Amino acid sequence: MAQDSKSEIKKYYLPEGLPAPRAARTGVDKEYWDATKRHELVVQKCNSCGAFQWGPEVLCHQCHSFEMGWQKVAGRGRLYSWVRCWNPVHPALKDACPYIVAVVELPDAGNIRMVGNLLGDPHQNPPFDSAVEAVFEDHPDATLVQWKVTAK
Amino acid sequence: MSEYTIKDKVAVIGVGETTYYKRAQAPVSEFRLACEAIIKAADDAGIDVKDIDGISGYADDRNDASRLATALGLKHLGFAGMVWGGGGGGGSGAVGNAAAALVAGYAKYVVVFRALAQGQFGRFGQAPVTNSVSGAPAFTAPYGLYVPAQWVALRTRRFMHQYGINQEPLAAVAMADYYHAQFNPRAVMYGRPLTRAEYDKSRWIVEPFHLYDCCMENDGSAALILTTADRARDAKQKPAYLMAAAQGSNYRHNATVENSADYASSNFKTLAPRLFEMAGITPKDVDCAQIYEHFSGAVMISLVEHGFCKPEEVMDFVTYENIIAPKGKLPINTSGGNIAECYMHGLELVNEAVRQVRGDSTCQVPGAKISLVASGPMVSPVTDLIVHSI
Ligand SMILES: [Zn+2]
C-alpha cells in the first residue's frame, strides 16, 4: 500500500480513472497480464534462441522465430531512470501530482526494461541504479506491477 | 564519397509561413493555413503556385496532398510523399524526400509543408481519455506515462546521470530560444523576453523540464519550395542548396516500453555520420544549427550525436554565450525555434536554416554559409539535413 504525505492509506499509487490495461486482441501479451494476476512477472523469451525480448512482439528480433515463449523472472531490478511528474496529463491525475514514473532494468532477463511507478514518497530522490523490487497492485480488471527501492 | 548523392542537386528557393498563433487561436481552418503557407512560399520563390508538382509532408499531416493539389489547382501532381511517424522527426526528411523526387525526375517544384491547428483538432500534451488501453501503451499509460515530455525527460535524465550534467545546458537552450525570438517578429514570444530568474522559478512540467524547457503548442503553417539546381539558378531568391539529408534510426530504437537498445540517445548516431559524409564537411564547418527542441534536454544529446562536442564536454559547450547569435561558437535555434518562435513541428527550423544561409535571418550569423537542421530527436525515424549557399 502506498502512502501519501499525510500518511493516509491509499488503495493505489495513482488515483482510479486511468485506463485499465487489457491484453491485446492478438494475444501477444496475454501471458503477461495473466501472470501479474498471479503476482508473477513473466517476460518474452525466444523458444529457439533464448533471447529475451520486451515489449512483446510476434517474433524474435534475433532469430526471427515466431515461437516466442514466456519466462518467469524474479521481481527485482535496478532503477535505470525515473522522473517526477508535476503536470496532470490525464484528468484522473488532477490531484495526484507529483508522482514518480520509473524505468527499471531487469538483470535477470537480459536487461530488458519495464515501466512502473516508484512507490513511497513522491519527493524522494533515489540514486540511479538503486536496487528495486516489484510490488503487485491489484485492480478489478488487471494487476499492475509497481516498484520500490530496496537498497541504494 | 558515395556515387549516389543529392548534394547540390537541389535547392530551397522559397520559404513562407502564416501568422503563428497560440494554440487554438487561429481564426481559420488548418487546411486553409496550409494553403496560405504554400502560396507564401511560392511567392517568395517567385514561381506560380500552379507550377508546384510535388507535395512532401510528415507527421501524419491531416491535409491530404491530393486535396491540396485540387484546391490549389496544380496542373498535375508528379510526387506525393510522407515521412513515416508522428511528431517532428520527419521535418528534414520531408525535405530529403522532396530532393529525392526532384533528382529522380518525378517533379520539378516540390513543396514541403506542415500545418497545425490544435484548436480544430486535439492537443499533443494531453492524453486521450479511454476506459482501457492495450498494446504497448498498456505497459505505460496505467502508470501515468503518457506524453512526449515524460518520454524525453526519462532519456534526458539518464544521459545527465551518465555524464554528470546539471540544469545549466537545459536553461541555456531555453534562454537562447527566447533571446533569439526577441529579434523575430514572426515569433509567438516576440516582445516576451525571459529572464533567468523567471526560468528558475517557473513550474515543473516533469523534472528536469520547467515550463520554459517545453515547446509551445501553436496553430499555423510553414512551407518551403525546392527545385533542381539548374532551375534554382534563375530563382528570385538566393538558393539554399541542399548539401545532404539523412533519415533513419539506431538499432531497435523504437523498441516499446522504453526498451531502445541505446536509451540515453537522440537517435542520431547512425544518421549523423552519413549526413556529414554526403555533405563532405565536418561539424566545425557548420556556421549555425537548428536543433529540434520539443524539450530543451534533447538538444545537448543531438549536438553530441552530431559531433559538435563530446558528452563529457556538454557542460562547457552548451552554454548560453556559446549558442546565441551572432557571436556564439555555434548559434542554435536562431529564430526562437519550437520553444519561442512557433511549434510548427520543426519546419520553422528548416525555414530558419534557409534564411541563415541566404543572409536574411532576423538573428543573422554574419557570413553564415552552412546551417544544419536536426529534426525530432528521440522519436523514430529522425531526420537531418544541411543547407548552404554557394
Ligand atoms: Zn530467437
Side-chain angles (χ1 to χ4, degrees):
Chain A
M1 289 290 170
Q3 291 189 316
D4 72 10
S5 54
K6 292 174 193 146
S7 294
E8 293 163 2
I9 301 294
K10 288 195 294 186
K11 199 171 171 190
Y12 309 126
Y13 181 79
L14 293 176
E16 294 175 72
L18 289 166
R22 177 168 49 77
R25 283 173 202 273
T26 58
V28 71
D29 56 11
K30 181 178 186 303
E31 285 84 350
Y32 174 86
W33 293 111
D34 287 348
T36 64
K37 285 181 187 165
R38 302 190 303 268
H39 289 197
E40 289 178 5
L41 194 60
V42 301
V43 300
Q44 264 193 329
K45 188 178 183 191
C46 176
N47 285 337
S48 296
C49 77
F52 286 102
Q53 180 165 285
W54 205 252
E57 188 50 278
V58 297
L59 80 167
C60 171
H61 68 279
Q62 291 283 5
C63 75
H64 306 152
S65 167
F66 289 91
E67 304 302 318
M68 294 304 291
W70 292 85
Q71 170 88 33
K72 184 181 170 186
V73 297
R76 60 171 179 260
R78 64 185 187 114
L79 186 58
Y80 193 70
S81 191
W82 63 272
V83 289
R84 194 173 359 257
C85 304
W86 293 85
N87 196 40
V89 292
H90 186 284
L93 297 169
K94 191 164 76 69
D95 300 313
C97 296
Y99 62 93
I100 294 181
V101 171
V103 174
V104 172
E105 263 195 0
L106 303 185
D108 299 332
N111 288 330
I112 62 157
R113 302 186 200 111
M114 292 195 168
V115 164
N117 296 120
L118 194 68
L119 301 184
D121 183 358
H123 296 281
Q124 66 184 302
N125 289 299
F128 281 70
D129 302 323
S130 293
V132 293
E133 69 177 19
V135 177
F136 293 90
E137 187 183 276
D138 293 314
H139 291 246
D141 299 329
T143 295
L144 302 182
V145 182
Q146 306 286 27
W147 299 89
K148 71 174 184 190
V149 174
T150 55
K152 295 183 179 175
Chain B
M1 189 185 293
S2 167
E3 174 187 355
Y4 296 97
T5 181
I6 51 98
K7 185 181 180 185
D8 292 339
K9 292 181 178 174
V10 308
V12 180
I13 56 165
V15 296
E17 50 274 300
T18 64
T19 299
Y20 288 147
Y21 301 93
K22 290 189 173 176
R23 179 181 63 82
Q25 299 296 306
V28 298
S29 70
E30 188 178 87
F31 183 77
R32 176 168 162 166
L33 292 168
C35 292
E36 287 183 17
I38 291 169
I39 291 167
K40 286 192 173 180
D43 284 350
D44 188 58
I47 65 162
D48 184 341
V49 175
K50 293 180 179 178
D51 285 335
I52 295 170
D53 58 355
I55 299 179
S56 183
Y58 66 104
D60 304 331
D61 202 282
R62 290 175 284 245
N63 303 285
D64 180 76
S66 295
R67 184 184 172 197
L68 284 166
T70 301
L72 293 167
L74 304 192
K75 292 169 198 160
H76 77 278
L77 190 59
F79 170 76
M82 174 88 87
V83 181
W84 289 96
S92 295
V95 176
N97 283 356
L102 290 163
V103 172
Y106 298 155
K108 296 182 173 66
Y109 294 95
V110 181
V111 64
V112 179
F113 81 103
R114 181 74 180 126
L116 285 169
Q118 293 192 62
Q120 184 183 357
F121 298 99
R123 292 182 67 179
F124 292 108
Q126 284 284 326
V129 176
T130 56
N131 292 327
S132 67
V133 61
S134 65
F139 298 95
T140 54
Y143 307 99
L145 177 57
Y146 262 107
V147 297
Q150 299 168 311
W151 308 329
V152 175
L154 281 165
R155 291 178 194 266
T156 299
R157 279 191 32 95
R158 182 70 201 183
F159 185 88
M160 292 166 78
H161 164 72
Q162 287 177 195
Y163 298 106
I165 292 163
N166 65 19
Q167 194 75 27
E168 291 306 309
L170 285 67
V173 169
M175 297 298 296
D177 275 27
Y178 266 82
Y179 174 77
H180 292 141
Q182 303 319 307
F183 299 88
N184 178 1
R186 298 185 307 274
V188 173
M189 291 301 167
Y190 180 65
R192 295 273 307 278
L194 177 68
T195 67
R196 180 59 196 264
E198 286 170 325
Y199 170 89
D200 285 334
K201 70 170 191 267
S202 67
R203 66 189 169 94
W204 290 116
I205 299 300
V206 49
E207 294 174 41
F209 301 145
H210 288 277
L211 175 65
Y212 293 110
D213 291 299
C214 303
C215 61
M216 301 180 285
E217 295 180 279
N218 298 115
D219 290 0
S221 180
L224 58 150
I225 308 280
L226 288 98
T227 191
T228 52
D230 55 330
R231 293 184 182 91
R233 277 191 279 276
D234 305 323
K236 181 170 117 186
Q237 301 283 356
K238 183 175 181 179
Y241 291 91
L242 197 56
M243 289 188 99
Q247 50 185 289
S249 175
N250 297 344
Y251 172 69
R252 279 176 61 76
H253 181 84
N254 224 36
T256 55
V257 203
E258 306 300 311
N259 276 274
S260 299
D262 184 355
Y263 187 69
S265 169
S266 269
N267 202 16
F268 283 111
K269 285 184 186 172
T270 57
L271 277 74
R274 286 189 274 125
L275 184 76
F276 282 109
E277 185 192 357
M278 183 179 282
I281 63 168
T282 67
K284 62 179 182 300
D285 297 318
V286 174
D287 297 308
C288 63
Q290 317 299 331
I291 309 292
Y292 195 102
E293 54 342 20
H294 39 10
F295 306 100
S296 64
V299 171
M300 61 188 170
I301 309 177
S302 298
L303 288 170
V304 165
E305 295 186 355
H306 282 90
F308 291 109
C309 68
K310 295 188 170 69
E312 297 80 8
E313 298 166 346
V314 164
M315 289 294 296
D316 293 327
F317 185 80
V318 188
T319 64
Y320 179 70
E321 290 72 22
N322 276 354
I323 61 174
I324 58 168
K327 290 189 178 155
K329 275 186 195 160
L330 182 72
I332 65 170
N333 305 353
T334 45
S335 68
N338 286 306
I339 287 178
E341 183 189 19
C342 175
Y343 180 62
M344 195 39 57
H345 268 163
L347 205 60
E348 81 287 350
L349 297 172
V350 177
N351 280 7
E352 175 63 11
V354 171
R355 288 187 166 108
Q356 281 287 354
V357 301
R358 71 188 200 187
D360 58 6
S361 167
T362 52
C363 235
Q364 185 63 43
V365 175
K369 291 261 189 257
I370 300 179
S371 188
L372 177 146
V373 183
S375 299
M378 296 184 182
V379 298
S380 177
V382 292
T383 64
D384 48 14
L385 65 76
I386 300 172
V387 287
H388 73 148
S389 55
I390 297 175

